[in-house]
Amino acid sequence: MNEPAGKTTGDTRSRILDAAEVLFMDHGFDGTSMRMITSRAAVNLAAVNYHFGSKELLIQEVFRRRLTDLNKARLAALDVLEAEAGEVPIKPSRIVDAFFGTALRMAADVEGGGHTFMCLLGRTYTEPNEFVRQFLAEEYAECVERFLAALYRALPEVERKEILWRFHFMMGAMSYAIAGTDALQLVTGKFDDEDPSQLAPRLMSFLLGGLRSPLAEAGPPK
Amino acid sequence: MNEPAGKTTGDTRSRILDAAEVLFMDHGFDGTSMRMITSRAAVNLAAVNYHFGSKELLIQEVFRRRLTDLNKARLAALDVLEAEAGEVPIKPSRIVDAFFGTALRMAADVEGGGHTFMCLLGRTYTEPNEFVRQFLAEEYAECVERFLAALYRALPEVERKEILWRFHFMMGAMSYAIAGTDALQLVTGKFDDEDPSQLAPRLMSFLLGGLRSPLAEAGPPK
DNA sequence: GTATGATTCAAACAAACGTTTTAATTAATC
DNA sequence: GATTAATTAAAACGTTTGTTTGAATCATAC
């Protein structure tokens, strides 16, 4: 009557989402037409408007689908850390890993589309589309709030403003490391073995080094 | 007969370039139409095709115009360092400053459009438009080559592969710091005083911390 | 002043865009 | 099996896209 799984019912929706995810990542929102999406998903042109309402709402759903899980995983990791720690402060490196490491593990999932999505997310950070931006801000609000609070507690001697800056820098290094298409052919080509699993430890080390670096102005390195 | 300066002759070209630069930064290449450009520049619609040939060639010229100067300035700074040093190795922090500091100083120039361009450049790194990508790679080739060589010499004990990775990470942190539209409203709003001059010292400190951070695998911190 | 080349202009081009419409088809309910 | 709702299909909608055209305007040189 119906096929075993994942090919018939409600399948149109996910086929569209999967196709859109890849195409948005490759060509951006404006560079991806409805016809590109529906033809890649092998569905009718009208299907997107039927299932999602509009192109903008489709974009929103592409992000929501994965971002909810990602930020849940991040918060769950933070919950574990805080439960384990009790009253003693948490090591900053653990907090950084809960936030950035979780994202990196998602980005390492090539088969399931996690990698594609993280690339898309990374390029969206620098694409100031007002519509997407506001959506991202709302979707991230709670998660960022809690992680910043955790970092504030973990680094009570560092000015909060400085922590904000460094969190910002870490976001950038991670986004670019994942999504940066290596426009300058820096990494690509210079060494061919492109094992995605090599990225995470290297990036984490870099992020922590940056986080721990002595502050620029006024404060001596101590 | 003719106005004092910069308003009449050959002005159409630069008016188009200036308008395109801002619009590309705000809306991306596909999100910016010829009509948006020409109307902002207050020139006729056909002017772009007349002066540049096509939209793609206009994009190319928008980059070429500033990138040539930027990379010249970087190489000049490196020349000075190498001349001063003679045979003794150059401090990595000086090399990093010659590359990233030069870019940051360009980004600090808001009036002259340097800031706009650096934002555009930053968002382009994560926009894998094949056309622009290849152009950027060629435009950057010599500069990246020489700076990497300088870093290799300055850090002879560090594997070259690791230096490549860290250069890549630094590119990301800088791009995002400048171009990142702060999609998560991390920095914006959390502290209102948004003085662009505050960015450079903070970022440089972060970059150097990341660069000096102990390597992830196999190697003990020493 | 007239001729020449460069530039600007308004208008139009075909192609592609997101969306809507109406009919055909499928799935589920009675 | 008939009825109803959900989904898919093909075709068309009006706009907007990048580009081209041919005449009008400008500056310059003879």
Side-chain angles (χ1 to χ4, degrees), chain B residues 124-204:
Chain B
T124 306
Y125 287 145
T126 54
E127 195 164 342
N129 181 317
E130 196 54 46
F131 181 78
V132 180
R133 229 175 110 178
Q134 182 160 344
F135 173 75
L136 280 186
E138 290 171 17
E139 195 77 19
Y140 260 104
E142 184 199 352
C143 194
V144 166
E145 207 67 47
R146 279 205 50 202
F147 270 89
L148 283 178
L151 281 174
Y152 293 158
R153 275 196 300 274
L155 297 163
E157 76 282 5
V158 183
E159 255 195 277
R160 297 193 165 192
K161 191 199 285 189
E162 301 293 341
I163 295 179
L164 267 179
W165 274 111
R166 304 227 153 160
F167 198 81
H168 198 223
F169 297 152
M170 290 191 282
M171 284 289 301
M174 186 194 67
S175 298
Y176 188 82
I178 295 172
T181 52
D182 205 20
L184 317 187
Q185 295 185 331
L186 272 178
V187 175
T188 327
K190 299 239 179 218
F191 49 96
D192 302 319
D193 55 306
E194 215 187 337
D195 185 4
S197 71
Q198 291 200 332
L199 169 64
R202 290 193 160 86
L203 178 60
M204 289 302 295

Side-chain angles (χ1 to χ4, degrees), chain B residues 12 35 43-46 50-51:
Chain B
T12 303
R35 285 159 180 85
V43 300
N44 186 269
L45 170 60
Y50 176 79
H51 284 281

Side-chain angles (χ1 to χ4, degrees), chain B residues 25-40:
Chain B
M25 186 265 270
D26 277 333
H27 309 101
F29 304 124
D30 292 309
T32 303
S33 70
M34 299 290 248
R35 285 159 180 85
M36 287 166 72
I37 297 169
T38 53
S39 102
R40 184 187 172 99

Side-chain angles (χ1 to χ4, degrees), chain A residues 12 35 43-46 50-51:
Chain A
T12 303
R35 285 161 180 84
V43 301
N44 186 268
L45 170 60
Y50 176 79
H51 284 282

